PDB file of all heavy atoms in Angstrom:
ATOM      1  N   PHE A 982     -10.801 -16.975  38.025  1.00 87.00           N
ATOM      2  CA  PHE A 982     -10.728 -17.810  36.773  1.00 87.00           C
ATOM      3  C   PHE A 982      -9.303 -18.478  36.727  1.00 87.00           C
ATOM      4  O   PHE A 982      -9.187 -19.681  36.476  1.00 87.00           O
ATOM      5  CB  PHE A 982     -10.904 -16.870  35.568  1.00 87.00           C
ATOM      6  CG  PHE A 982     -10.993 -17.529  34.342  1.00 87.00           C
ATOM      7  CD1 PHE A 982     -12.079 -18.454  33.939  1.00 87.00           C
ATOM      8  CD2 PHE A 982      -9.988 -17.400  33.175  1.00 87.00           C
ATOM      9  CE1 PHE A 982     -12.148 -19.145  32.786  1.00 87.00           C
ATOM     10  CE2 PHE A 982     -10.165 -18.114  32.063  1.00 87.00           C
ATOM     11  CZ  PHE A 982     -11.192 -18.909  31.790  1.00 87.00           C
ATOM     12  N   LEU A 986      -8.439 -22.432  36.678  1.00 82.00           N
ATOM     13  CA  LEU A 986      -7.702 -23.085  35.626  1.00 82.00           C
ATOM     14  C   LEU A 986      -6.432 -23.862  36.281  1.00 82.00           C
ATOM     15  O   LEU A 986      -6.191 -25.035  35.965  1.00 82.00           O
ATOM     16  CB  LEU A 986      -7.237 -22.162  34.680  1.00 82.00           C
ATOM     17  CG  LEU A 986      -8.181 -21.529  33.676  1.00 82.00           C
ATOM     18  CD1 LEU A 986      -7.533 -20.718  32.611  1.00 82.00           C
ATOM     19  CD2 LEU A 986      -8.947 -22.660  32.973  1.00 82.00           C
ATOM     20  N   THR A 989      -7.591 -26.899  38.364  1.00 83.00           N
ATOM     21  CA  THR A 989      -8.003 -27.997  37.609  1.00 83.00           C
ATOM     22  C   THR A 989      -6.790 -28.645  36.801  1.00 83.00           C
ATOM     23  O   THR A 989      -6.684 -29.945  36.695  1.00 83.00           O
ATOM     24  CB  THR A 989      -9.109 -27.715  36.377  1.00 83.00           C
ATOM     25  OG1 THR A 989      -9.266 -26.336  36.368  1.00 83.00           O
ATOM     26  CG2 THR A 989     -10.349 -28.428  36.571  1.00 83.00           C
ATOM     27  N   THR A 990      -5.939 -27.802  36.308  1.00 81.00           N
ATOM     28  CA  THR A 990      -4.796 -28.305  35.634  1.00 81.00           C
ATOM     29  C   THR A 990      -3.938 -29.231  36.465  1.00 81.00           C
ATOM     30  O   THR A 990      -3.487 -30.332  36.041  1.00 81.00           O
ATOM     31  CB  THR A 990      -3.946 -27.144  35.061  1.00 81.00           C
ATOM     32  OG1 THR A 990      -4.783 -26.203  34.376  1.00 81.00           O
ATOM     33  CG2 THR A 990      -2.910 -27.582  34.142  1.00 81.00           C
ATOM     34  N   ASN A 993      -5.626 -32.407  37.152  1.00 80.00           N
ATOM     35  CA  ASN A 993      -5.558 -33.287  35.908  1.00 80.00           C
ATOM     36  C   ASN A 993      -4.185 -33.975  35.820  1.00 80.00           C
ATOM     37  O   ASN A 993      -4.039 -35.108  35.510  1.00 80.00           O
ATOM     38  CB  ASN A 993      -5.914 -32.461  34.707  1.00 80.00           C
ATOM     39  CG  ASN A 993      -7.284 -32.394  34.516  1.00 80.00           C
ATOM     40  OD1 ASN A 993      -8.140 -33.290  34.878  1.00 80.00           O
ATOM     41  ND2 ASN A 993      -7.869 -31.332  33.836  1.00 80.00           N
ATOM     42  N   ARG A 997      -3.166 -37.856  36.232  1.00 77.00           N
ATOM     43  CA  ARG A 997      -2.459 -38.610  35.165  1.00 77.00           C
ATOM     44  C   ARG A 997      -0.956 -39.057  35.534  1.00 77.00           C
ATOM     45  O   ARG A 997      -0.149 -39.534  34.772  1.00 77.00           O
ATOM     46  CB  ARG A 997      -2.454 -37.921  33.812  1.00 77.00           C
ATOM     47  CG  ARG A 997      -3.722 -37.670  33.287  1.00 77.00           C
ATOM     48  CD  ARG A 997      -3.753 -36.769  32.025  1.00 77.00           C
ATOM     49  NE  ARG A 997      -5.106 -36.131  31.833  1.00 77.00           N
ATOM     50  CZ  ARG A 997      -5.295 -35.361  30.822  1.00 77.00           C
ATOM     51  NH1 ARG A 997      -4.458 -35.104  29.919  1.00 77.00           N
ATOM     52  NH2 ARG A 997      -6.483 -34.808  30.786  1.00 77.00           N
ATOM     53  N   SER A1296       3.715 -30.879  28.979  1.00 82.00           N
ATOM     54  CA  SER A1296       3.064 -29.853  28.104  1.00 82.00           C
ATOM     55  C   SER A1296       2.975 -28.423  28.721  1.00 82.00           C
ATOM     56  O   SER A1296       3.146 -27.484  27.893  1.00 82.00           O
ATOM     57  CB  SER A1296       1.640 -30.361  27.853  1.00 82.00           C
ATOM     58  OG  SER A1296       1.084 -30.800  29.033  1.00 82.00           O
ATOM     59  N   ILE A1297       2.672 -28.256  29.941  1.00 84.00           N
ATOM     60  CA  ILE A1297       2.633 -27.003  30.558  1.00 84.00           C
ATOM     61  C   ILE A1297       3.967 -26.295  30.419  1.00 84.00           C
ATOM     62  O   ILE A1297       3.865 -25.127  29.843  1.00 84.00           O
ATOM     63  CB  ILE A1297       2.362 -27.104  32.074  1.00 84.00           C
ATOM     64  CG1 ILE A1297       1.055 -27.943  32.337  1.00 84.00           C
ATOM     65  CG2 ILE A1297       2.268 -25.695  32.691  1.00 84.00           C
ATOM     66  CD1 ILE A1297      -0.121 -27.067  31.988  1.00 84.00           C
ATOM     67  N   VAL A1300       4.453 -25.286  26.732  1.00 87.00           N
ATOM     68  CA  VAL A1300       3.645 -24.190  26.335  1.00 87.00           C
ATOM     69  C   VAL A1300       4.206 -22.854  26.653  1.00 87.00           C
ATOM     70  O   VAL A1300       4.307 -21.889  25.976  1.00 87.00           O
ATOM     71  CB  VAL A1300       2.172 -24.425  26.712  1.00 87.00           C
ATOM     72  CG1 VAL A1300       1.368 -23.069  26.760  1.00 87.00           C
ATOM     73  CG2 VAL A1300       1.416 -25.441  25.948  1.00 87.00           C
TER      74      VAL A1300
ATOM     75  N   SER C 565       0.802 -21.580  16.914  1.00 90.00           N
ATOM     76  CA  SER C 565       1.230 -21.844  18.381  1.00 90.00           C
ATOM     77  C   SER C 565      -0.136 -21.679  19.173  1.00 90.00           C
ATOM     78  O   SER C 565      -0.333 -22.548  20.117  1.00 90.00           O
ATOM     79  CB  SER C 565       2.197 -20.962  18.851  1.00 90.00           C
ATOM     80  OG  SER C 565       1.763 -19.607  18.980  1.00 90.00           O
ATOM     81  N   ILE C 566      -1.028 -20.747  18.848  1.00 91.00           N
ATOM     82  CA  ILE C 566      -2.243 -20.666  19.573  1.00 91.00           C
ATOM     83  C   ILE C 566      -3.140 -21.889  19.355  1.00 91.00           C
ATOM     84  O   ILE C 566      -3.790 -22.424  20.341  1.00 91.00           O
ATOM     85  CB  ILE C 566      -3.052 -19.435  19.264  1.00 91.00           C
ATOM     86  CG1 ILE C 566      -2.145 -18.160  19.485  1.00 91.00           C
ATOM     87  CG2 ILE C 566      -4.343 -19.359  19.956  1.00 91.00           C
ATOM     88  CD1 ILE C 566      -2.717 -16.864  19.120  1.00 91.00           C
ATOM     89  N   LEU C 567      -3.127 -22.426  18.062  1.00 90.00           N
ATOM     90  CA  LEU C 567      -3.913 -23.582  17.869  1.00 90.00           C
ATOM     91  C   LEU C 567      -3.360 -24.816  18.639  1.00 90.00           C
ATOM     92  O   LEU C 567      -4.034 -25.557  19.170  1.00 90.00           O
ATOM     93  CB  LEU C 567      -3.860 -23.961  16.328  1.00 90.00           C
ATOM     94  CG  LEU C 567      -4.886 -23.139  15.439  1.00 90.00           C
ATOM     95  CD1 LEU C 567      -4.479 -23.321  14.017  1.00 90.00           C
ATOM     96  CD2 LEU C 567      -6.284 -23.582  15.738  1.00 90.00           C
ATOM     97  N   PHE C 568      -2.049 -24.890  18.636  1.00 85.00           N
ATOM     98  CA  PHE C 568      -1.357 -26.032  19.398  1.00 85.00           C
ATOM     99  C   PHE C 568      -1.796 -25.889  20.960  1.00 85.00           C
ATOM    100  O   PHE C 568      -2.214 -26.933  21.494  1.00 85.00           O
ATOM    101  CB  PHE C 568       0.205 -25.968  19.234  1.00 85.00           C
ATOM    102  CG  PHE C 568       0.594 -26.676  18.060  1.00 85.00           C
ATOM    103  CD1 PHE C 568       1.627 -26.181  17.199  1.00 85.00           C
ATOM    104  CD2 PHE C 568       0.136 -28.039  17.874  1.00 85.00           C
ATOM    105  CE1 PHE C 568       2.060 -26.906  16.161  1.00 85.00           C
ATOM    106  CE2 PHE C 568       0.562 -28.687  16.728  1.00 85.00           C
ATOM    107  CZ  PHE C 568       1.490 -28.188  15.838  1.00 85.00           C
ATOM    108  N   VAL C 569      -1.598 -24.687  21.481  1.00 83.00           N
ATOM    109  CA  VAL C 569      -1.814 -24.434  22.843  1.00 83.00           C
ATOM    110  C   VAL C 569      -3.366 -24.998  23.058  1.00 83.00           C
ATOM    111  O   VAL C 569      -3.532 -25.576  24.141  1.00 83.00           O
ATOM    112  CB  VAL C 569      -1.530 -23.052  23.363  1.00 83.00           C
ATOM    113  CG1 VAL C 569      -2.008 -22.775  24.697  1.00 83.00           C
ATOM    114  CG2 VAL C 569      -0.106 -22.794  23.217  1.00 83.00           C
ATOM    115  N   ALA C 570      -4.178 -24.340  22.268  1.00 83.00           N
ATOM    116  CA  ALA C 570      -5.650 -24.711  22.524  1.00 83.00           C
ATOM    117  C   ALA C 570      -5.857 -26.201  22.520  1.00 83.00           C
ATOM    118  O   ALA C 570      -6.589 -26.776  23.258  1.00 83.00           O
ATOM    119  CB  ALA C 570      -6.538 -24.010  21.557  1.00 83.00           C
ATOM    120  N   SER C 571      -5.184 -26.933  21.603  1.00 80.00           N
ATOM    121  CA  SER C 571      -5.447 -28.357  21.529  1.00 80.00           C
ATOM    122  C   SER C 571      -4.719 -29.182  22.571  1.00 80.00           C
ATOM    123  O   SER C 571      -5.109 -30.270  23.036  1.00 80.00           O
ATOM    124  CB  SER C 571      -5.148 -28.962  20.101  1.00 80.00           C
ATOM    125  OG  SER C 571      -3.815 -28.692  19.871  1.00 80.00           O
ATOM    126  N   ILE C 572      -3.519 -28.529  23.089  1.00 77.00           N
ATOM    127  CA  ILE C 572      -2.867 -29.217  24.211  1.00 77.00           C
ATOM    128  C   ILE C 572      -3.416 -28.975  25.490  1.00 77.00           C
ATOM    129  O   ILE C 572      -3.618 -29.804  26.453  1.00 77.00           O
ATOM    130  CB  ILE C 572      -1.404 -28.825  24.178  1.00 77.00           C
ATOM    131  CG1 ILE C 572      -0.649 -29.293  22.830  1.00 77.00           C
ATOM    132  CG2 ILE C 572      -0.713 -29.404  25.367  1.00 77.00           C
ATOM    133  CD1 ILE C 572       0.652 -28.715  22.759  1.00 77.00           C
ATOM    134  N   MET C 573      -3.666 -27.595  25.746  1.00 77.00           N
ATOM    135  CA  MET C 573      -4.041 -27.176  27.070  1.00 77.00           C
ATOM    136  C   MET C 573      -5.340 -27.459  27.459  1.00 77.00           C
ATOM    137  O   MET C 573      -5.746 -27.697  28.688  1.00 77.00           O
ATOM    138  CB  MET C 573      -3.774 -25.601  27.194  1.00 77.00           C
ATOM    139  CG  MET C 573      -2.316 -25.181  26.957  1.00 77.00           C
ATOM    140  SD  MET C 573      -1.287 -25.853  28.314  1.00 77.00           S
ATOM    141  CE  MET C 573      -1.367 -24.436  29.557  1.00 77.00           C
ATOM    142  N   MET C 574      -6.324 -27.377  26.520  1.00 78.00           N
ATOM    143  CA  MET C 574      -7.755 -27.474  26.859  1.00 78.00           C
ATOM    144  C   MET C 574      -8.085 -28.805  27.660  1.00 78.00           C
ATOM    145  O   MET C 574      -8.721 -28.787  28.619  1.00 78.00           O
ATOM    146  CB  MET C 574      -8.631 -27.167  25.674  1.00 78.00           C
ATOM    147  CG  MET C 574      -9.400 -25.878  25.823  1.00 78.00           C
ATOM    148  SD  MET C 574     -10.702 -25.771  24.716  1.00 78.00           S
ATOM    149  CE  MET C 574     -10.121 -24.339  23.707  1.00 78.00           C
ATOM    150  N   PRO C 575      -7.413 -29.930  27.093  1.00 78.00           N
ATOM    151  CA  PRO C 575      -7.644 -31.224  27.910  1.00 78.00           C
ATOM    152  C   PRO C 575      -7.309 -31.087  29.274  1.00 78.00           C
ATOM    153  O   PRO C 575      -7.738 -31.809  30.115  1.00 78.00           O
ATOM    154  CB  PRO C 575      -6.922 -32.143  26.995  1.00 78.00           C
ATOM    155  CG  PRO C 575      -6.746 -31.626  25.722  1.00 78.00           C
ATOM    156  CD  PRO C 575      -6.738 -30.081  25.958  1.00 78.00           C
ATOM    157  N   LEU C 576      -6.152 -30.221  29.610  1.00 77.00           N
ATOM    158  CA  LEU C 576      -5.677 -30.132  30.844  1.00 77.00           C
ATOM    159  C   LEU C 576      -6.609 -29.191  31.780  1.00 77.00           C
ATOM    160  O   LEU C 576      -6.739 -29.374  32.984  1.00 77.00           O
ATOM    161  CB  LEU C 576      -4.276 -29.685  30.927  1.00 77.00           C
ATOM    162  CG  LEU C 576      -3.261 -30.628  30.286  1.00 77.00           C
ATOM    163  CD1 LEU C 576      -1.854 -29.936  30.246  1.00 77.00           C
ATOM    164  CD2 LEU C 576      -3.246 -31.922  31.166  1.00 77.00           C
ATOM    165  N   PHE C 577      -6.904 -28.095  31.155  1.00 75.00           N
ATOM    166  CA  PHE C 577      -7.738 -27.146  31.868  1.00 75.00           C
ATOM    167  C   PHE C 577      -9.112 -27.661  32.318  1.00 75.00           C
ATOM    168  O   PHE C 577      -9.631 -27.313  33.481  1.00 75.00           O
ATOM    169  CB  PHE C 577      -8.090 -25.905  31.008  1.00 75.00           C
ATOM    170  CG  PHE C 577      -6.987 -25.064  30.732  1.00 75.00           C
ATOM    171  CD1 PHE C 577      -6.894 -24.172  29.724  1.00 75.00           C
ATOM    172  CD2 PHE C 577      -5.852 -25.003  31.653  1.00 75.00           C
ATOM    173  CE1 PHE C 577      -5.804 -23.306  29.585  1.00 75.00           C
ATOM    174  CE2 PHE C 577      -4.826 -24.139  31.378  1.00 75.00           C
ATOM    175  CZ  PHE C 577      -4.720 -23.322  30.354  1.00 75.00           C
ATOM    176  N   LEU C 578      -9.691 -28.500  31.565  1.00 72.00           N
ATOM    177  CA  LEU C 578     -11.078 -28.884  31.713  1.00 72.00           C
ATOM    178  C   LEU C 578     -11.253 -30.282  32.106  1.00 72.00           C
ATOM    179  O   LEU C 578     -10.514 -31.113  31.651  1.00 72.00           O
ATOM    180  CB  LEU C 578     -11.782 -28.638  30.434  1.00 72.00           C
ATOM    181  CG  LEU C 578     -11.941 -27.186  30.046  1.00 72.00           C
ATOM    182  CD1 LEU C 578     -12.432 -27.008  28.491  1.00 72.00           C
ATOM    183  CD2 LEU C 578     -12.818 -26.279  30.899  1.00 72.00           C
ATOM    184  N   PRO C 579     -12.320 -30.551  32.896  1.00 70.00           N
ATOM    185  CA  PRO C 579     -12.559 -31.861  33.178  1.00 70.00           C
ATOM    186  C   PRO C 579     -12.888 -32.765  31.911  1.00 70.00           C
ATOM    187  O   PRO C 579     -13.561 -32.050  30.962  1.00 70.00           O
ATOM    188  CB  PRO C 579     -13.691 -31.802  34.246  1.00 70.00           C
ATOM    189  CG  PRO C 579     -14.117 -30.410  34.336  1.00 70.00           C
ATOM    190  CD  PRO C 579     -13.038 -29.643  33.655  1.00 70.00           C
ATOM    191  N   GLU C 580     -12.645 -33.948  31.878  1.00 69.00           N
ATOM    192  CA  GLU C 580     -12.957 -34.774  30.659  1.00 69.00           C
ATOM    193  C   GLU C 580     -14.363 -34.576  30.077  1.00 69.00           C
ATOM    194  O   GLU C 580     -14.610 -34.458  28.895  1.00 69.00           O
ATOM    195  CB  GLU C 580     -12.787 -36.175  30.982  1.00 69.00           C
ATOM    196  CG  GLU C 580     -12.367 -37.077  29.784  1.00 69.00           C
ATOM    197  CD  GLU C 580     -10.901 -37.381  29.869  1.00 69.00           C
ATOM    198  OE1 GLU C 580     -10.065 -36.965  30.655  1.00 69.00           O
ATOM    199  OE2 GLU C 580     -10.399 -38.083  28.936  1.00 69.00           O
ATOM    200  N   ALA C 581     -15.366 -34.538  30.971  1.00 68.00           N
ATOM    201  CA  ALA C 581     -16.736 -34.499  30.513  1.00 68.00           C
ATOM    202  C   ALA C 581     -17.085 -33.167  29.730  1.00 68.00           C
ATOM    203  O   ALA C 581     -17.855 -33.123  28.983  1.00 68.00           O
ATOM    204  CB  ALA C 581     -17.652 -34.608  31.841  1.00 68.00           C
ATOM    205  N   LEU C 582     -16.331 -32.172  30.098  1.00 70.00           N
ATOM    206  CA  LEU C 582     -16.690 -30.797  29.518  1.00 70.00           C
ATOM    207  C   LEU C 582     -15.869 -30.571  28.286  1.00 70.00           C
ATOM    208  O   LEU C 582     -16.002 -29.531  27.671  1.00 70.00           O
ATOM    209  CB  LEU C 582     -16.396 -29.754  30.497  1.00 70.00           C
ATOM    210  CG  LEU C 582     -17.377 -29.525  31.723  1.00 70.00           C
ATOM    211  CD1 LEU C 582     -16.951 -28.452  32.674  1.00 70.00           C
ATOM    212  CD2 LEU C 582     -18.783 -29.227  31.145  1.00 70.00           C
ATOM    213  N   LEU C 583     -14.911 -31.483  28.018  1.00 73.00           N
ATOM    214  CA  LEU C 583     -13.916 -31.147  26.914  1.00 73.00           C
ATOM    215  C   LEU C 583     -14.594 -31.081  25.590  1.00 73.00           C
ATOM    216  O   LEU C 583     -15.224 -32.108  25.120  1.00 73.00           O
ATOM    217  CB  LEU C 583     -12.936 -32.294  26.900  1.00 73.00           C
ATOM    218  CG  LEU C 583     -11.678 -32.047  25.964  1.00 73.00           C
ATOM    219  CD1 LEU C 583     -10.997 -30.792  26.435  1.00 73.00           C
ATOM    220  CD2 LEU C 583     -10.870 -33.160  25.968  1.00 73.00           C
ATOM    221  N   PRO C 584     -14.593 -30.052  24.874  1.00 77.00           N
ATOM    222  CA  PRO C 584     -15.103 -29.832  23.554  1.00 77.00           C
ATOM    223  C   PRO C 584     -14.277 -30.707  22.481  1.00 77.00           C
ATOM    224  O   PRO C 584     -13.186 -30.988  22.710  1.00 77.00           O
ATOM    225  CB  PRO C 584     -15.164 -28.392  23.239  1.00 77.00           C
ATOM    226  CG  PRO C 584     -14.021 -27.809  24.123  1.00 77.00           C
ATOM    227  CD  PRO C 584     -13.991 -28.726  25.264  1.00 77.00           C
ATOM    228  N   ASP C 585     -15.030 -30.992  21.394  1.00 79.00           N
ATOM    229  CA  ASP C 585     -14.240 -31.822  20.293  1.00 79.00           C
ATOM    230  C   ASP C 585     -13.230 -30.859  19.614  1.00 79.00           C
ATOM    231  O   ASP C 585     -13.326 -29.591  19.711  1.00 79.00           O
ATOM    232  CB  ASP C 585     -15.276 -32.391  19.347  1.00 79.00           C
ATOM    233  CG  ASP C 585     -16.047 -31.437  18.594  1.00 79.00           C
ATOM    234  OD1 ASP C 585     -15.877 -30.169  18.793  1.00 79.00           O
ATOM    235  OD2 ASP C 585     -16.902 -31.898  17.725  1.00 79.00           O
ATOM    236  N   LYS C 586     -12.512 -31.458  18.742  1.00 81.00           N
ATOM    237  CA  LYS C 586     -11.477 -30.757  17.958  1.00 81.00           C
ATOM    238  C   LYS C 586     -11.933 -29.531  17.289  1.00 81.00           C
ATOM    239  O   LYS C 586     -11.245 -28.474  17.355  1.00 81.00           O
ATOM    240  CB  LYS C 586     -10.911 -31.717  16.838  1.00 81.00           C
ATOM    241  CG  LYS C 586      -9.893 -32.657  17.454  1.00 81.00           C
ATOM    242  CD  LYS C 586      -9.104 -33.256  16.182  1.00 81.00           C
ATOM    243  CE  LYS C 586     -10.093 -34.001  15.177  1.00 81.00           C
ATOM    244  NZ  LYS C 586      -9.326 -35.049  14.417  1.00 81.00           N
ATOM    245  N   PHE C 587     -13.117 -29.665  16.749  1.00 83.00           N
ATOM    246  CA  PHE C 587     -13.701 -28.605  15.866  1.00 83.00           C
ATOM    247  C   PHE C 587     -13.846 -27.300  16.794  1.00 83.00           C
ATOM    248  O   PHE C 587     -13.478 -26.210  16.469  1.00 83.00           O
ATOM    249  CB  PHE C 587     -15.031 -29.063  15.422  1.00 83.00           C
ATOM    250  CG  PHE C 587     -15.686 -28.103  14.329  1.00 83.00           C
ATOM    251  CD1 PHE C 587     -15.265 -28.233  12.958  1.00 83.00           C
ATOM    252  CD2 PHE C 587     -16.517 -27.161  14.621  1.00 83.00           C
ATOM    253  CE1 PHE C 587     -15.731 -27.489  12.099  1.00 83.00           C
ATOM    254  CE2 PHE C 587     -17.120 -26.378  13.711  1.00 83.00           C
ATOM    255  CZ  PHE C 587     -16.803 -26.423  12.377  1.00 83.00           C
ATOM    256  N   VAL C 588     -14.544 -27.464  18.042  1.00 85.00           N
ATOM    257  CA  VAL C 588     -14.774 -26.381  18.947  1.00 85.00           C
ATOM    258  C   VAL C 588     -13.462 -25.887  19.464  1.00 85.00           C
ATOM    259  O   VAL C 588     -13.359 -24.599  19.630  1.00 85.00           O
ATOM    260  CB  VAL C 588     -15.732 -26.823  20.036  1.00 85.00           C
ATOM    261  CG1 VAL C 588     -15.949 -25.708  20.989  1.00 85.00           C
ATOM    262  CG2 VAL C 588     -17.005 -27.336  19.466  1.00 85.00           C
ATOM    263  N   ARG C 589     -12.535 -26.672  19.686  1.00 86.00           N
ATOM    264  CA  ARG C 589     -11.163 -26.228  20.206  1.00 86.00           C
ATOM    265  C   ARG C 589     -10.546 -25.334  19.158  1.00 86.00           C
ATOM    266  O   ARG C 589     -10.043 -24.258  19.603  1.00 86.00           O
ATOM    267  CB  ARG C 589     -10.283 -27.351  20.536  1.00 86.00           C
ATOM    268  CG  ARG C 589     -10.517 -27.924  22.045  1.00 86.00           C
ATOM    269  CD  ARG C 589      -9.570 -28.957  22.415  1.00 86.00           C
ATOM    270  NE  ARG C 589     -10.171 -30.327  21.954  1.00 86.00           N
ATOM    271  CZ  ARG C 589      -9.398 -31.388  22.012  1.00 86.00           C
ATOM    272  NH1 ARG C 589      -8.071 -31.410  22.330  1.00 86.00           N
ATOM    273  NH2 ARG C 589      -9.909 -32.593  21.595  1.00 86.00           N
ATOM    274  N   ALA C 590     -10.491 -25.746  17.984  1.00 88.00           N
ATOM    275  CA  ALA C 590      -9.888 -24.890  16.885  1.00 88.00           C
ATOM    276  C   ALA C 590     -10.654 -23.604  16.838  1.00 88.00           C
ATOM    277  O   ALA C 590     -10.156 -22.505  16.582  1.00 88.00           O
ATOM    278  CB  ALA C 590      -9.947 -25.708  15.578  1.00 88.00           C
ATOM    279  N   LEU C 591     -12.093 -23.735  16.879  1.00 89.00           N
ATOM    280  CA  LEU C 591     -12.952 -22.444  16.833  1.00 89.00           C
ATOM    281  C   LEU C 591     -12.522 -21.544  17.938  1.00 89.00           C
ATOM    282  O   LEU C 591     -12.437 -20.322  17.686  1.00 89.00           O
ATOM    283  CB  LEU C 591     -14.380 -22.947  16.914  1.00 89.00           C
ATOM    284  CG  LEU C 591     -15.322 -21.895  16.370  1.00 89.00           C
ATOM    285  CD1 LEU C 591     -15.024 -21.417  15.012  1.00 89.00           C
ATOM    286  CD2 LEU C 591     -16.721 -22.586  16.507  1.00 89.00           C
ATOM    287  N   VAL C 592     -12.316 -22.011  19.180  1.00 89.00           N
ATOM    288  CA  VAL C 592     -11.974 -21.119  20.293  1.00 89.00           C
ATOM    289  C   VAL C 592     -10.637 -20.476  19.937  1.00 89.00           C
ATOM    290  O   VAL C 592     -10.566 -19.190  20.183  1.00 89.00           O
ATOM    291  CB  VAL C 592     -11.841 -21.970  21.554  1.00 89.00           C
ATOM    292  CG1 VAL C 592     -11.279 -21.035  22.692  1.00 89.00           C
ATOM    293  CG2 VAL C 592     -13.182 -22.430  22.030  1.00 89.00           C
ATOM    294  N   ALA C 593      -9.643 -21.220  19.495  1.00 91.00           N
ATOM    295  CA  ALA C 593      -8.415 -20.580  19.253  1.00 91.00           C
ATOM    296  C   ALA C 593      -8.452 -19.524  18.082  1.00 91.00           C
ATOM    297  O   ALA C 593      -7.902 -18.409  18.252  1.00 91.00           O
ATOM    298  CB  ALA C 593      -7.363 -21.629  18.732  1.00 91.00           C
ATOM    299  N   LEU C 594      -9.251 -19.822  17.072  1.00 93.00           N
ATOM    300  CA  LEU C 594      -9.412 -18.900  16.040  1.00 93.00           C
ATOM    301  C   LEU C 594     -10.043 -17.683  16.428  1.00 93.00           C
ATOM    302  O   LEU C 594      -9.825 -16.498  16.041  1.00 93.00           O
ATOM    303  CB  LEU C 594     -10.185 -19.424  14.811  1.00 93.00           C
ATOM    304  CG  LEU C 594      -9.483 -20.412  13.955  1.00 93.00           C
ATOM    305  CD1 LEU C 594     -10.561 -21.172  12.985  1.00 93.00           C
ATOM    306  CD2 LEU C 594      -8.431 -19.659  13.121  1.00 93.00           C
ATOM    307  N   THR C 595     -11.033 -17.828  17.348  1.00 93.00           N
ATOM    308  CA  THR C 595     -11.822 -16.703  17.810  1.00 93.00           C
ATOM    309  C   THR C 595     -10.893 -15.736  18.687  1.00 93.00           C
ATOM    310  O   THR C 595     -11.042 -14.539  18.572  1.00 93.00           O
ATOM    311  CB  THR C 595     -13.011 -17.176  18.784  1.00 93.00           C
ATOM    312  OG1 THR C 595     -13.774 -18.095  17.945  1.00 93.00           O
ATOM    313  CG2 THR C 595     -13.920 -16.089  19.118  1.00 93.00           C
ATOM    314  N   ILE C 596     -10.172 -16.279  19.568  1.00 93.00           N
ATOM    315  CA  ILE C 596      -9.249 -15.464  20.382  1.00 93.00           C
ATOM    316  C   ILE C 596      -8.392 -14.678  19.512  1.00 93.00           C
ATOM    317  O   ILE C 596      -8.119 -13.423  19.514  1.00 93.00           O
ATOM    318  CB  ILE C 596      -8.509 -16.281  21.313  1.00 93.00           C
ATOM    319  CG1 ILE C 596      -9.360 -17.040  22.397  1.00 93.00           C
ATOM    320  CG2 ILE C 596      -7.414 -15.541  22.000  1.00 93.00           C
ATOM    321  CD1 ILE C 596      -8.727 -17.997  23.245  1.00 93.00           C
TER     322      ILE C 596
END
Side-chain angles (χ1 to χ4, degrees):
Chain A
F982 186 65
L986 284 188
T989 6
T990 308
N993 275 335
R997 294 177 205 183
S1296 45
I1297 300 284
V1300 161
Chain C
S565 70
I566 298 176
L567 279 168
F568 271 137
V569 170
S571 59
I572 294 169
M573 296 295 267
M574 249 192 249
L576 294 174
F577 286 161
L578 298 168
E580 207 100 358
L582 287 177
L583 187 65
D585 65 359
K586 276 195 297 204
F587 191 85
V588 178
R589 272 184 271 169
L591 196 55
V592 170
L594 285 172
T595 305
I596 294 174

